[in-house]
Amino acid sequence: AGSRASVQTALRTLLAAPWPSQRDVRSWLQLLSVLQWVLSFLLLGTVSLLLLIYLVFTSFWPISALYLAWIIFDWDTPEKGGRRLPCLRRWPVWRHFRDYFPVKLVKTHDLSPSHNYIIGSHPHGILCVGAFCNFITGSTGFGEMFPGIRPFLTTLAGNFRLPVFREYLMSGGLCPVTRRAIGYLLSKNGTGNAVAIVIGGAAESLSCRPGVTTLILKNRKGFVRMALQHGAYLVPSFSFGENDLFRQVVFEEGSWVRSIQQRFQKMMGFAPCIFYGRGLTSVQSLGFLPYARPITTVVGEPVAVPKIKDPSCEMVDMYHEMYVRSLLKLFNENKTKYGLSETDELHIL
């Protein structure tokens, strides 16, 4: 009788306890979706590599041997359009990921499926959240806004050398930021391809901090040359709010720490940033999760580019200047709509 009474008391206590509201459940799902994304990008490749090395010294060594054989057989696939899986782009978790910040995509002009495009994505930020959410997941409606256009996003070629991580990247539509990979998408994959390139790259992430909008673009002209060689139209895009997701310890130009960061970036392709965000338990705690700040990615007007097999430096400079003007126009026309003031300027280095 005593045990029955204690069970009944426990059940009454459980039923009397406040159940989480729908809003609380949504917040947890959003937080978990961002957590899995951050962990995937920061740890999946390294952990998979260490696990496969460990398995070599166990009775499960055939798993490592088979996967190594697979990578050798599949080595060139990332350079040839990858292996995108539409079901991964439609994964429900990306809706929660989108709503955490939230992320929004804004269309200003149509993109015709009869052309190919290079979309310049600015700014880099720390983890390129806006570019990933808009061009890799289908959660913000890219496919509906731009029917007939297949978006791809480029990232460091070294990421495609990491086991398991390479499969994850390719399944979403990511490809290496190499001439061969981009050239394949612009010349041997038909039309209607939009290759998004985060032009500022790792160097730009070193200057990323809230309230500062600085782009590394003045001497980045390789994407313009490729656009001319393949007749791909140039499309500027800007993610307002990207630089507000993390706090970074920024070292001044000329300091020894900054020189080490820059040297490391030139050797390895990415910059060792010292940044922090919110923790898992609360907004006040420190951690590696991004702060929930709205990101609005505005896709601008295409710059029509002719196809020239061997463009001159003067031709490259001319279309680069046209692209910069189009980007500045996009920024100035939209900055006050999405969190910036009229006095905020876009600094291009």
Side-chain angles (χ1 to χ4, degrees), residues 123-126 207-214 239 241-246:
H124 183 285
I126 296 293
S207 302
C208 165
R209 59 184 185 273
V212 177
T213 312
T214 301
S239 293
E242 183 73 48
N243 284 350
D244 299 331
L245 304 182
F246 293 96

Side-chain angles (χ1 to χ4, degrees), residues 181-297:
I182 297 170
Y184 180 92
L185 294 173
L186 297 179
S187 64
K188 299 179 182 178
N189 201 42
T191 59
N193 300 294
V195 183
I197 303 175
V198 187
I199 296 165
E204 195 171 274
S205 65
L206 292 175
S207 302
C208 165
R209 59 184 185 273
V212 177
T213 312
T214 301
L215 304 183
I216 307 294
L217 178 59
K218 192 173 290 184
N219 295 316
R220 299 285 173 103
K221 299 179 181 179
F223 73 103
V224 178
R225 184 174 293 278
M226 287 212 71
L228 284 163
Q229 289 171 341
H230 298 284
Y233 286 17
L234 290 167
V235 183
S237 73
F238 195 92
S239 293
F240 293 91
E242 183 73 48
N243 284 350
D244 299 331
L245 304 182
F246 293 96
R247 303 290 182 268
Q248 182 180 182
V249 180
V250 179
F251 300 97
E252 295 298 321
E253 287 289 344
S255 66
W256 66 273
V257 179
R258 182 73 164 205
S259 64
I260 290 175
Q261 286 179 313
Q262 291 170 337
R263 204 168 295 137
F264 189 92
Q265 181 252 318
K266 288 179 181 176
M267 287 190 298
M268 304 299 294
F270 65 92
C273 302
I274 301 175
F275 66 90
Y276 63 91
R278 60 158 290 179
L280 187 60
T281 55
S282 72
V283 179
Q284 287 72 32
S285 61
L286 296 182
F288 55 87
L289 295 179
Y291 292 107
R293 303 285 187 269
I295 303 171
T296 304
T297 301

Side-chain angles (χ1 to χ4, degrees), residues 43-54 161-164:
L43 297 177
L44 180 59
T46 304
V47 170
S48 299
L49 179 61
L50 293 175
L51 178 60
L52 287 172
I53 292 173
Y54 168 74
R161 305 292 179 251
L162 294 171
V164 182

Side-chain angles (χ1 to χ4, degrees), residues 10-27:
L11 285 173
R12 280 196 296 270
T13 304
L14 181 63
L15 292 172
W19 287 83
S21 65
Q22 284 189 340
R23 183 178 178 181
D24 291 334
V25 172
R26 281 198 302 269
S27 296

Side-chain angles (χ1 to χ4, degrees), residues 149-168:
I149 303 296
R150 292 182 298 274
F152 296 85
L153 179 63
T154 58
T155 185
L156 291 173
N159 288 329
F160 294 90
R161 305 292 179 251
L162 294 171
V164 182
F165 190 44
R166 71 191 293 273
E167 324 299 340
Y168 178 71

